Each structure stands twice: as structure tokens, then as C-alpha cells.
Amino acid sequence: MEETISLKELFETLKKRLLLIISITAIAGLVSGVVSYFFLTPIYQASTQILVNQAKNDQAFYSPSEVQTNLQLINTYNVIIKSPAILDKVADDLDLGVNARQLNEKINVGSEKDSQVVNISVQDPSPDTAALIANKTAEVFQKEITNIMNVDNVSILAKAEVAENPSPIKPRPLMNVAIAIVVGLMAGVGIAFLLEYFDNTIKNEQDVEKELELPILGIIAQIDDQKLEELKARRAARNSRVRGETIGS
């Protein structure tokens, strides 16, 4: 026999497990907030930009082919910037106690499509250190690329600077809490329906009819204690009145 669940039954299930759903949602949001605010280390980002473009004198003409060559070189430059040839020198110059592999994990290099500007972004728990690494990486690359590829077409377009009150790029506590609340709500609803699915106890006449596939002939209503006492009092009063009428006659 195929079972169907009505919309009313779904709402009844949610209503019955409402406290469970709210508890799971609240706990998820609270845990996410505590972890985001007190346990995760804030990470700051600083960026510097370099321009890939051959220096020109007053008599030089604009050459589209040279621009195209510079664009093709950018992918190679992106790899060279994060190579040990550059980062080893950056680590030695800064003397921050980190090696080239650790610097590589902090640095991200990228450029927009058909753009001669390369962006060097550095993430670090300290905003000052992030800016220092970004600027030093750009300086070392500008100096060493002349020896590595025998070209001089790199200039620093913008240096990384630390704002007065820098904001971390991660974690984002409010976003984390919002995501945790949504996930907690979904988990709570899922658990509520799962508990309802595995709950095979018989609670009402509909469950009896569904399990035994037999029609319901009658229902014994429940009477609470107060109503029972009222019925006893009425019966006692009626019996007392009947006895009085019998004695009077």
C-alpha cells in the first residue's frame, strides 16, 4: 500500500520537533561565532602591482606587436615570481624566519585578461608583514628578471600600503554565523523528519487504521481528572436527589 504524506502532516512534524530544530540551529550559530571570533587567526592581505612594458624614449613608436609579446610573457612572469630564484632572495633579504616554500603559500600572483599589469597579493596574520613581503617580492623580481630573461620591461606600478585600520579578509564571522545558521536549520529539519520516520509507535486512530488496514468502529475518548471529578459529583447529587424523593413518597 503506497503511503502519502500530506502537507498538514509535514507541518505537524515540524511543529512537534520545533524545539529540536531551534536548538540545533542556535547551537550551530553559537559554535560558528565562538570559533570565528576567538579561535581563528585573522588574515590580512596586501597587494602591489607591476607593469610589464618596455621603457621607451621620445623617438620610439608604439608597437602593438611588442605589447602582444609582453602579454605573452606575463604567464611566464607569474611562474617566475613564485619560483625559488626569486623567493629565496626575498626570504634572505627580509630575514623573517620563513623559507621560499612558506612564502610561496602566502603569495598569489595574477593578472586580468589582456592586461599588462600583474598583481602580487600576500596574505599574512600581520598587515605590515604582508605589505613588506609584497613590496620586497616586486623589488627583487624587477631586479632579477633582467638576469633571468635578459629583458628590462618590468616596472613597479603601485606599492603595497597598510591602511590606518586594516580589516582582515578572513575569517568573516558574520558570514560564517549566517552560513552555520542555514546549515543548522537544514540539519534540524532533516533530523526532525528522520526521527519521525523511525518513530513506529501508534499514537492515534489514524495510525491504527494505517497499520492494521481495518476501519475504525469507535473511539474511547480520554477524560481528564477534573472532568471525572465533575461527573462523580453530578452522579452523587443525582443519587442523593433520587433517594430523597423515594423517602418522601
Side-chain angles (χ1 to χ4, degrees):
M1 181 177 180
E2 185 180 356
E3 295 186 4
T4 58
I5 300 177
S6 66
L7 188 61
K8 182 179 179 180
E9 290 176 327
L10 294 179
F11 280 111
E12 287 294 332
T13 300
L14 294 177
K15 183 179 178 180
K16 184 170 65 175
R17 310 284 184 180
L18 184 60
L19 182 60
L20 173 66
I21 296 172
I22 294 176
S23 299
I24 293 176
T25 303
I27 291 173
L30 181 62
V31 170
S32 176
V34 170
V35 171
S36 298
Y37 279 105
F38 298 104
F39 290 94
L40 296 181
T41 303
I43 301 297
Y44 297 86
Q45 179 172 288
S47 301
T48 184
Q49 293 178 325
I50 59 176
L51 177 65
V52 180
N53 188 31
Q54 184 71 36
K56 300 295 181 183
N57 53 37
D58 294 338
Q59 285 76 31
F61 294 98
Y62 174 79
S63 174
S65 61
E66 188 169 307
V67 172
Q68 188 62 33
T69 301
N70 290 331
L71 291 175
Q72 293 173 354
L73 284 174
I74 285 179
N75 290 332
T76 302
Y77 287 175
N78 291 347
V79 176
I80 294 175
I81 290 174
K82 299 187 67 174
S83 68
I86 303 299
L87 297 185
D88 280 338
K89 295 183 181 298
V90 173
D92 292 340
D93 291 348
L94 293 179
D95 193 20
L96 295 176
V98 294
N99 53 34
R101 181 182 60 81
Q102 293 170 321
L103 286 176
N104 195 338
E105 295 175 354
K106 296 175 179 287
I107 297 174
N108 183 44
V109 181
S111 59
E112 297 293 334
K113 183 180 180 181
D114 296 333
S115 172
Q116 294 178 251
V117 177
V118 177
N119 189 66
I120 302 175
S121 299
V122 178
Q123 296 182 3
D124 192 85
S126 169
D128 295 323
T129 302
L132 186 63
I133 294 174
N135 289 329
K136 177 57 68 172
T137 302
E139 293 173 7
V140 172
F141 174 72
Q142 182 186 25
K143 178 181 178 182
E144 295 298 323
I145 195 64
T146 305
N147 301 324
I148 294 174
M149 297 193 65
N150 196 27
V151 293
D152 184 16
N153 63 346
V154 175
S155 58
I156 298 177
L157 187 63
K159 290 188 175 183
E161 296 182 354
V162 180
E164 185 175 351
N165 294 310
S167 300
I169 62 168
K170 58 183 180 181
R172 297 180 178 178
L174 295 180
M175 180 177 293
N176 292 346
V177 170
I179 294 174
I181 288 175
V182 173
V183 174
L185 181 61
M186 295 172 61
V189 172
I191 292 174
F193 284 116
L194 188 64
L195 292 176
E196 189 68 18
Y197 177 77
F198 285 109
D199 186 5
N200 56 5
T201 58
I202 296 176
K203 307 177 189 63
N204 50 43
E205 60 274 12
Q206 287 80 14
D207 293 340
V208 175
E209 188 175 10
K210 182 171 64 175
E211 293 295 331
L212 300 180
E213 298 183 1
L214 295 174
I216 301 298
L217 300 179
I219 299 173
I220 300 176
Q222 293 183 348
I223 303 176
D224 58 24
D225 294 339
Q226 184 178 358
K227 290 184 178 180
L228 186 60
E229 292 296 331
E230 291 177 357
L231 290 174
K232 287 182 179 180
R234 291 177 183 176
R235 181 178 297 175
R238 186 174 65 245
N239 292 337
S240 177
R241 187 173 61 252
V242 171
R243 284 196 299 267
E245 294 176 352
T246 303
I247 293 174
S249 61

